[in-house]
Amino acid sequence: MIRSIHVHGSPVLRQQADEVPRDHADLPQLLADMYETMYASGGIGLAAPQVGVPLRLFVVDLSPYADEEPALLDMKKVFINPEIYDESDEEVLMNEGCLSIPGLTEDVYRPEKIRLRWLDENFEPHDAEFDGHASRVIQHEYDHLVGKIYTDHLSMLRRTLLRGRLSAIARGDYTAKYKTKQK
Ligand code: NI
């Protein structure tokens, strides 16, 4: 089932998400819905808080980047209770957008590489390093689990310039080609 995507201004996007309990009965349905919602809205990553569920989990499918990075063809993964525990000092600039901030993209600096631990959909543990688009998307989705959005990483000046635009989105003044919710 396609769920509505919560848009900037919705309190759930500013909340600290809770750990996913191992006995979460509706997890398979939630994951299926998140993939369906992500594909229907043209996204490459989606975090549970974006569909109004404050749990530490996100899904990604980076196959659209396979032209640039062939290894990403199979990069369809579920990240449950992830923990980024190391990151490179070197930062890179990449353009980001977010389904929860319709109509806006901005260049954002983030660490080039990260290491993280997480559980997959069967609660099997994993530990790996990511770079390139995978590192970028994982860091972006991870932020959603701690109540952050990508504009938080912009310079003070840039954030000041965007204030009006973000307030307008929070008031419902935006267009999106997918189902959205303000709270
Ligand atoms: Ni996002």
Side-chain angles (χ1 to χ4, degrees):
M1 183 189 74
I2 294 175
R3 302 198 186 194
S4 296
I5 293 183
H6 284 244
V7 166
H8 173 61
S10 176
V12 71
L13 296 174
R14 289 309 201 176
Q15 230 175 288
Q16 291 279 337
D18 295 322
E19 294 279 302
V20 180
R22 203 169 264 269
D23 58 355
H24 188 297
D26 299 329
L27 196 58
Q29 187 61 53
L30 174 61
L31 292 174
D33 288 356
M34 284 176 64
Y35 271 116
E36 197 181 346
T37 304
M38 181 179 82
Y39 290 132
S41 52
I44 47 171
L46 188 69
Q50 291 182 276
V51 292
V53 178
L55 288 176
R56 292 180 58 81
L57 112 85
F58 60 83
V59 300
V60 305
D61 183 347
L62 302 183
S63 54
Y65 289 122
D67 285 351
E68 292 166 64
E69 289 183 55
L72 297 180
L73 191 59
D74 301 321
M75 181 69 187
K76 179 180 170 181
K77 282 188 199 304
V78 173
F79 292 84
I80 293 173
N81 299 339
E83 186 199 349
I84 295 177
Y85 66 91
D86 200 10
E87 55 187 38
S88 61
D89 291 333
E90 196 185 342
E91 297 203 325
V92 285
L93 192 62
M94 278 196 202
N95 195 254
E96 293 188 30
C98 179
L99 294 172
S100 294
I101 312 177
L104 189 76
T105 65
E106 287 288 320
D107 289 332
V108 182
Y109 276 106
R110 293 188 191 263
E112 183 183 19
K113 293 179 186 173
I114 52 164
R115 282 202 72 94
L116 90 158
R117 284 186 275 266
W118 75 97
L119 304 172
D120 64 22
E121 59 272 43
N122 302 311
F123 282 88
E124 293 295 327
H126 297 269
D127 185 324
E129 182 176 293
F130 294 96
D131 60 10
H133 289 294
S135 168
R136 176 59 53 144
V137 174
I138 288 168
Q139 290 181 71
H140 176 114
E141 299 310 329
Y142 191 90
D143 270 357
H144 282 303
L145 310 183
V146 294
K148 279 193 193 172
I149 54 175
Y150 73 87
T151 54
D152 298 342
H153 294 277
L154 300 173
S155 69
M156 187 83 88
L157 174 64
R158 192 71 199 136
R159 275 184 285 147
T160 303
L161 290 169
L162 285 174
R163 200 175 287 157
R165 186 96 180 267
L166 285 170
S167 307
I169 292 172
R171 285 195 308 270
D173 185 4
Y174 61 85
T175 52
K177 288 184 179 143
Y178 42 88
K179 263 199 304 180
T180 60
K181 250 185 173 174
Q182 291 294 131
K183 49 179 76 153

